[in-house]
């Protein structure tokens, strides 16, 4: 069989960046492990992000050259460097989530991420609603302490919503309760639903919050100058609603006055020399609410460019 078979972006089975599919996680041998978590059981008003892993994979086939066994990587013209050369990506399919049982999904998702970590791969998780970040981050309990860097229009720090403690309003309140999580840095917060109480509660814990206007006014360099020089091990969670709705319309809770792609990318690039990226998730893409597949495409590219910050360029 020719190794060119199925090599066009639109041919073959749509794994992430056309990387090899690893169904049996005990056989995983890769630098980067993609895991879909297709659940929106904890979404409120406009569910549908359970479809995101499949949609993002589909869009990511544009970057199929990155999934090959001996990837040549890609040339970043702004840096004048080749990124992801020789980095082995595997697509581990989707976590075996259940419908609507958020508590059970916590255990399932945590177990699957632990399986990826036990194989030494960088877990890269495609949500799903934002509640999934909690079980994903739980899986890192052996690599303490962990700093969490969150890009989001919202704090997601509400203790409970109508008696529920793990909707997509609360994941980082639950993350805060994990003893190995040192600090949460949230970037891009705005909107009329970010409450003063949530803000005070997160600041009282020593967390950092940067609003959209702070990002606009100070730029990525201004934000980076206020972040720790030694970040240690850090985990990145990207809620696609951190981006402006003109860039990423396909999401449950779009908020005007959002960040640009460049803001997120350049902050991630600035963080990389300060610590070790140990895991990544991208959540809240809702293909049902999208226009012209715009959001899944921007999500696929953002995942790739975020992952690239974890590896030394050549
Ligand atoms: Mn959000
Ligand atoms: Mn969120």
């Amino acid at each position: 069989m020719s190794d060119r078979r199925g090599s066009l972006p639109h041919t073959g089975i749509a794994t992430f960046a056309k990387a090899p599919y690893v169904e049996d996680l005990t056989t995983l041998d890769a630098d980067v492990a993609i895991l879909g978590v297709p659940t929106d059981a904890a979404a409120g008003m406009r569910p549908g992000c359970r479809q995101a892993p499949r949609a993002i994979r589909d869009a990511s086939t544009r970057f199929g050259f990155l999934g090959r066994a001996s990837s040549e990587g890609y040339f970043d013209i702004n840096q004048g460097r080749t990124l992801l050369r020789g980095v082995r990506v595997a697509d581990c399919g989707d976590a075996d989530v259940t419908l609507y049982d958020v508590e059970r999904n916590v255990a399932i998702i945590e177990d699957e991420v632990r399986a990826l970590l036990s194989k030494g791969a960088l877990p890269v998780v495609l949500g799903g609603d934002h509640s999934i970040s909690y079980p994903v981050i739980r899986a890192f309990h052996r690599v303490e302490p962990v700093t969490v860097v969150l890009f989001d229009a919202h704090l997601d720090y509400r203790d409970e919503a109508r008696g529920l403690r793990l909707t997509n309003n609360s994941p980082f309140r639950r993350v805060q309760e994990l003893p190995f999580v040192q600090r949460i840095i949230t970037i891009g917060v705005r909107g009329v639903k970010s409450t003063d109480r949530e803000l005070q509660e997160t600041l009282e814990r020593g967390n950092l919050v940067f609003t959209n206007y702070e990002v606009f006014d100070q730029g990525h360099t201004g934000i980076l100058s206020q972040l720790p020089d030694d970040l240690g091990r850090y985990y990145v969670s990207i809620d696609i609603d951190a981006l402006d709705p003109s860039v990423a319309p396909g999401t449950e809770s779009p908020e005007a006055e959002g960040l640009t792609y460049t803001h997120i990318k350049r902050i991630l690039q600035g963080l990389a020399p300060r610590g070790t990226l140990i895991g990544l998730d991208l959540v809240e893409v809702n293909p049902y609410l999208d226009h012209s597949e715009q959001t899944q495409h921007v999500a696929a590219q953002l995942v790739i460019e975020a992952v690239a910050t974890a590896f030394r360029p050549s």
Side-chain angles (χ1 to χ4, degrees), residues 130 150 152 154 156 168 171-172 239 241 283-284:
H130 216 158
L150 166 65
D152 204 317
H154 314 95
D156 289 359
N168 60 357
F172 293 89
D239 184 328
D241 70 27
V283 298
E284 296 286 351

Side-chain angles (χ1 to χ4, degrees), residues 129-130 133 150-154 156 168 171-172 187 190 236-243 248 251-253 264 281-285 302:
D129 70 66
H130 216 158
S133 296
L150 166 65
F151 294 90
D152 204 317
H154 314 95
D156 289 359
N168 60 357
F172 293 89
I187 302 168
R190 60 192 187 274
V236 170
S237 180
I238 302 172
D239 184 328
I240 204 72
D241 70 27
L243 287 170
T251 193
E252 182 188 356
S253 304
I264 297 179
D281 68 56
L282 186 145
V283 298
E284 296 286 351
V285 171
L302 187 50

Side-chain angles (χ1 to χ4, degrees), residues 112-146:
E112 296 217 15
V113 176
R114 278 191 189 176
L116 309 183
L117 287 170
S118 74
K119 294 295 181 178
L122 175 73
V124 175
V125 177
L126 310 176
D129 70 66
H130 216 158
S131 72
I132 65 121
S133 296
Y134 170 62
V136 173
I137 293 170
R138 269 169 65 120
F140 289 86
H141 71 293
R142 291 210 175 120
V143 289
E144 61 184 306
V146 173

Side-chain angles (χ1 to χ4, degrees), residues 4 15 65 68 123 126 154 187 193 208 210 230 243 272 314:
R4 302 285 301 163
T15 60
F65 50 90
R68 290 190 197 133
L126 310 176
H154 314 95
I187 302 168
K193 290 174 80 179
L208 299 176
F210 297 95
D230 182 7
L243 287 170
S314 55

